[in-house]
Every structure is written in C-alpha cells, then in structure tokens.
Amino acid sequence: MRSAFSITLLLAALAARAWSATVPEIEFFESKVRPVLAEHCYKCHGAEKQKGDLRFDSREAILKGTDGVPSAVPGKPDESPLVKSVRHQTENHMPAKEPKLPEEQIAALAEWVRLGLPWPESDPKALTPQQDRALHHWSFQPIANPAPPAVADPAHWVQSPIDQFALARMDAAKLAPAPRADKRTLLRRATFDLTGLPPTAAEVEAFEQDKSPDAFAKVIDRLLASPRYGERWGRHWLDVARYADTRGYLVAGQERKFAYSYTYRDWVIQALNADLPYDQFVIQQLAADQLVLGKPDADPTPLAAMGFLTVGRSFLNNQQDIIDDRIDVVSRGLMGLTTTCARCHDHKFDPILQTDYYALYGVFASSNEP
C-alpha cells in the first residue's frame, strides 16, 4: 500500500526539473499540432512505417528529414518542406491520397514551425502543461510558516498570530471586527463548534462566574478533551472517506451491510480524540497492514483504519469499478485532486496522466482485501 504515494513521488521528481519551452507553446503543440500529426502523418511516417524514409513522430526525426534535408526548419515555415507540402506548393502533396488539410490546420503547422518546433518529449528541460500545473497545484506545495502580516492596531483586537491574518484581510476590505461577544454567547459558539452540542446550564454558570484571564482557554481545553470532539469532527473526515454501513446495490441474495464498518468509524473518532499526528493518520489508512501484519508484538488496532479503502460501494462486485473508487478516495481525499477521468484519457487540465492512474491501479489490483 505504500506505493500509493507514487503520484506524489512522481510529481516531486518533476518539480526538480527545469524547463525552457514555454507552457503556452507546449499547450499549442498538444492541442493544435499533435492531433494533426497523429491523424494524418503517423500512419505513413511513424514508428511502424516510414514512407520515403521520413518520420514525423518526434522532433529529432523531423529535423533529420531525409537525404540530409530536414523536414522542417525551426523558425522558418516558408522554407520548410513539411509546410510547403501541406500547402501543396510542391509536387509531393501531403497528406498523400487525402484531401488538402483545412486551412486552420495548415496555419497551425506553420505557426508551430515558426515557434521552433516545441515538442515536450524532445526537450529534456520542457514540461508538459500537466507537469507544469503539477508544480503549482495547491495540495503539492510544501507547508510554509509565513510571517504574520502587519496590521494597523494589533493591540486593540489581536490575541494570536492567526488574528493578524484575519485582521489584515478585513483591513484590506475596509471592514471592522464584530463587537466582542458576551461570555454566554462565546461559550455557546465554542461548544457547538467543537462538540456539536449546546453547553449545559451548569457549564454556562461556571464560565460566567470564572473571572480568571484564562477562563476561555480552560473551556477550550475541556471541550477538546471531550469524547464528543472526535465525534463532531470525525464525521467530516468520514464524509471524505465516503463512509457507509452498506455496500450499495448488489445482486439478489447478497448481504448489503458491512459487517465491521463501525470499527473504521470508531478508529477515526479515536484518532481525533487522541490527536494522532496527521502523517500517521494517513499512513495507517493506506498501509496499516504493512505496519502490523507479521509483527507479533504490534498493536492490531490500526488495521481498522484501512476501512478508508474498503467501505466504498461494491458496484455489483465489479473489481474494476471498486479499484476506481479506491483510487478516487485516495486522490480526492488526500491530494484535493480528481484522477478517475484518467481511467480513459490523460487529464486535459489536471496534472494526471493515464499512466499515473494505472500505476495506482496496479497497486490496488495486487492488494488483497481480507
């Protein structure tokens, strides 16, 4: 299961690479040029067949051309045999035995040559648009510790560095903080927020009578120590994990209920109440079996965390759809990124290729569910 981090490792490797071709140039090639080459050129001038010793499936092959004459001259479309042939300005019209290309496709090829034949696979420094977006996708950015912004009157309202960020945004929008809440209102807000329940009358009375400067801090500590805290906030993660007690629609006669789904629910609640570090929270849900199985002295409790992968729908026991669902919960839940479109094609806008999808597919296909 540890290989489920393959997408993150791939993108980290990409981040270490520099690039020279601009992203707009690569996008132009991918959207306007490569489809034309693939549809009209590769069948006669590709990997399997090279009519006239010409290949158009790489930048190097186009520059090599035939008989010492390149098929295209970077930056000079009017001098390039490729452009002349598609314009029908030479005897060797291309594509052969087909109608002349539409003018917009001819113009795209000429513009591509003028740009210098940008081709991502040919330039070791070039990134595809998907790879470039991978470098800037928000969930792949390293955690930073920015300095709190300066504010006009910090002593009046700021009580923590977080308040400085909030106040700076309010100052920029020409807004003022709301009036300070009375103690009863403050306690009610905090209790609902952290436990999902209203405060009791005794809790309200105790807070109103506590005149110490750390009275509210003691309330927060009490609420965070309550078992209700994990129940209140665990439900949000269970939504991310598409938690359910049933398997969805199955064929007649099969049991729809999960026998032990509640063990995953209880593990999530306990993890929040125990303040389990986030790295362990993730690792146990993806690979607790690697931490526990085969180790006689290991605590088996983390095995319940793998319900993150197994409490999804069963899709009439269709294994391909089950794996697709597990890839989806990993990518959306942990990286804020959808990947399942890549089951059928490379993402047009997101930094996920079909090869990434099936790399993860192989991980899950080779994993056994007990």
Side-chain angles (χ1 to χ4, degrees):
M1 289 296 181
R2 287 170 290 184
S3 297
F5 293 105
S6 59
I7 287 182
T8 305
L9 296 177
L10 169 66
L11 295 172
L14 292 173
R17 296 168 57 186
W19 59 280
S20 56
T22 67
V23 170
E25 289 174 350
I26 299 301
E27 285 187 325
F28 177 78
F29 170 77
E30 296 289 359
S31 62
K32 301 294 185 181
V33 178
R34 193 194 290 272
V36 177
L37 298 176
E39 182 179 356
H40 299 288
C41 302
Y42 291 172
K43 59 186 176 183
C44 295
H45 305 286
E48 298 181 0
K49 184 179 180 181
Q50 297 88 42
K51 190 175 180 179
D53 289 331
L54 290 173
R55 289 188 65 167
F56 295 141
D57 57 349
S58 73
R59 187 175 190 272
E60 290 79 6
I62 292 174
L63 292 175
K64 179 181 178 182
T66 184
D67 297 329
V69 179
S71 298
V73 181
K76 299 179 179 180
D78 294 338
E79 300 178 18
S80 299
L82 171 62
V83 177
K84 290 181 179 180
S85 65
V86 297
R87 288 174 173 172
H88 289 194
Q89 294 175 341
T90 66
E91 294 181 359
N92 297 320
H93 295 174
M94 294 181 61
K97 299 180 181 179
E98 291 185 28
K100 185 179 180 181
L101 295 178
E103 289 300 323
E104 60 269 21
Q105 294 185 356
I106 296 174
L109 290 173
E111 177 64 12
W112 173 56
V113 175
R114 188 193 68 78
L115 292 172
L117 303 173
W119 193 310
E121 291 90 343
S122 301
D123 185 352
K125 295 181 180 180
L127 297 184
T128 66
Q130 291 95 337
Q131 293 165 348
D132 180 71
R133 292 189 185 96
L135 299 182
H136 302 98
H137 184 67
W138 68 267
S139 69
F140 302 150
Q141 303 310 307
I143 296 175
N145 187 21
V151 291
D153 187 12
H156 176 67
W157 188 77
V158 171
Q159 297 185 19
S160 76
I162 295 177
D163 293 339
Q164 288 179 245
F165 288 94
L167 187 57
R169 291 295 297 270
M170 286 190 284
D171 287 344
K174 295 181 171 53
L175 298 174
R180 188 177 297 274
D182 60 81
K183 296 188 73 170
R184 180 184 292 263
T185 300
L186 185 62
L187 177 66
R188 184 175 177 83
R189 289 174 180 172
T191 308
F192 265 117
D193 188 48
L194 293 179
T195 69
L197 300 169
T200 66
E203 290 169 344
V204 173
E205 183 178 1
F207 183 50
E208 288 185 324
Q209 292 179 358
D210 188 345
K211 306 301 182 181
S212 62
D214 63 343
F216 187 58
K218 290 187 289 186
V219 166
I220 297 301
D221 289 340
R222 172 177 61 79
L223 294 173
L224 290 175
S226 168
R228 306 290 85 77
Y229 168 74
E231 295 170 2
R232 164 79 168 99
W233 286 96
R235 62 181 289 271
H236 295 294
W237 181 253
L238 292 174
D239 287 343
V240 172
R242 84 294 189 226
Y243 172 81
D245 293 316
T246 59
R247 301 174 182 269
Y249 180 71
L250 291 171
V251 295
Q254 289 190 294
E255 175 56 55
R256 295 183 64 239
K257 295 180 179 179
F258 286 112
Y260 299 104
S261 60
Y262 68 90
T263 61
Y264 174 64
R265 176 201 66 200
D266 292 350
W267 178 88
V268 170
I269 294 171
Q270 179 58 30
L272 289 175
N273 282 331
D275 199 19
L276 183 70
Y278 182 70
D279 62 339
Q280 288 300 310
F281 185 74
V282 171
I283 290 172
Q284 291 183 25
Q285 291 181 87
L286 293 179
D289 55 331
Q290 301 294 321
L291 305 175
V292 173
L293 298 182
K295 301 175 182 178
D297 298 330
D299 178 11
T301 302
L303 289 174
M306 299 194 74
F308 176 70
L309 299 174
T310 59
V311 297
R313 293 169 58 195
S314 291
F315 302 97
L316 292 174
N317 292 325
N318 184 309
Q319 191 67 14
Q320 290 75 25
D321 288 343
I322 291 173
I323 292 176
D324 182 73
D325 176 65
R326 292 175 180 175
I327 293 173
D328 184 59
V329 74
V330 168
S331 61
R332 286 201 295 163
L334 300 178
M335 294 187 288
L337 184 73
T338 59
T339 64
T340 52
C341 295
R343 182 180 182 179
C344 299
H345 51 75
D346 290 345
H347 267 209
K348 185 176 181 180
F349 297 110
D350 293 332
I352 296 298
L353 304 177
Q354 197 172 45
T355 52
D356 301 326
Y357 176 91
Y358 282 101
L360 275 180
Y361 186 99
V363 172
F364 289 114
S366 61
S367 302
N368 297 318
E369 179 182 350

